[in-house]
Amino acid sequence: MRHTARMTLVAIASTAPLLLASCATDGADAGARGTTSSAGPASLIRQIPVEVAADLVVDGTTVTWVEATLDTSSRTNPRVVPVPGAKPETARLAEDATFFTPGPGTPEVTADGLGTEPVSRGEFETTRDAFAPKLFFNARGEVVGIATRHRP
């Protein structure tokens, strides 16, 4: 009898995280938790960076984008291509979010072309060429960093 009781407790304890995760995606306060889709309730909180975003909009306290890829088949004219079937997603913008661009003049970039020049949010919003941005997230699913790429 004791053995059965222990097994039941172990089974209940091991499913608790799954139950909590499913409750966290009910859509009741999706904007406070993380990413959402225009198609409905909140998705799981995004913590993995979005490597390439298309249609980026930084608006008040939110960031909206469509996940995309970078087509570099033409070295002189790379293109941002939305992932087939991708829907717009939205996440909260962290109050302490950082923004990076390649900078004016000679671009300062990482090996994958991301800008390393820190700029203010205002400077970022006035950047006319926010090419192929990468989005970074914290554990709460908030956007904590946006870095744009150098366009050759």
Side-chain angles (χ1 to χ4, degrees), residues 33-145:
R33 282 196 309 273
T35 65
T36 61
S37 163
S38 62
S43 62
L44 292 175
I45 292 176
R46 178 183 288 275
Q47 293 178 356
I48 299 171
V50 172
E51 291 298 323
V52 180
D55 304 326
L56 181 73
V57 176
V58 178
D59 185 23
T61 59
T62 62
V63 178
T64 302
W65 72 93
V66 173
E67 197 151 357
T69 60
L70 189 57
D71 176 3
T72 57
S73 59
S74 169
R75 292 192 67 187
T76 58
N77 190 25
R79 299 178 314 122
V80 174
V81 180
V83 171
K87 303 258 188 255
E89 296 184 68
T90 300
R92 227 175 246 252
L93 180 65
E95 288 184 26
D96 60 347
T98 54
F99 302 88
F100 299 91
T101 67
T106 304
E108 296 183 30
V109 296
T110 64
D112 59 350
L114 291 171
T116 60
E117 179 73 27
V119 295
S120 70
R121 178 179 174 173
E123 290 170 314
F124 180 83
E125 289 174 347
T126 61
T127 301
R128 302 238 186 263
D129 192 17
F131 179 66
K134 181 173 181 175
L135 308 178
F136 299 89
F137 299 84
N138 64 16
R140 293 184 302 274
E142 298 171 320
V143 175
V144 294

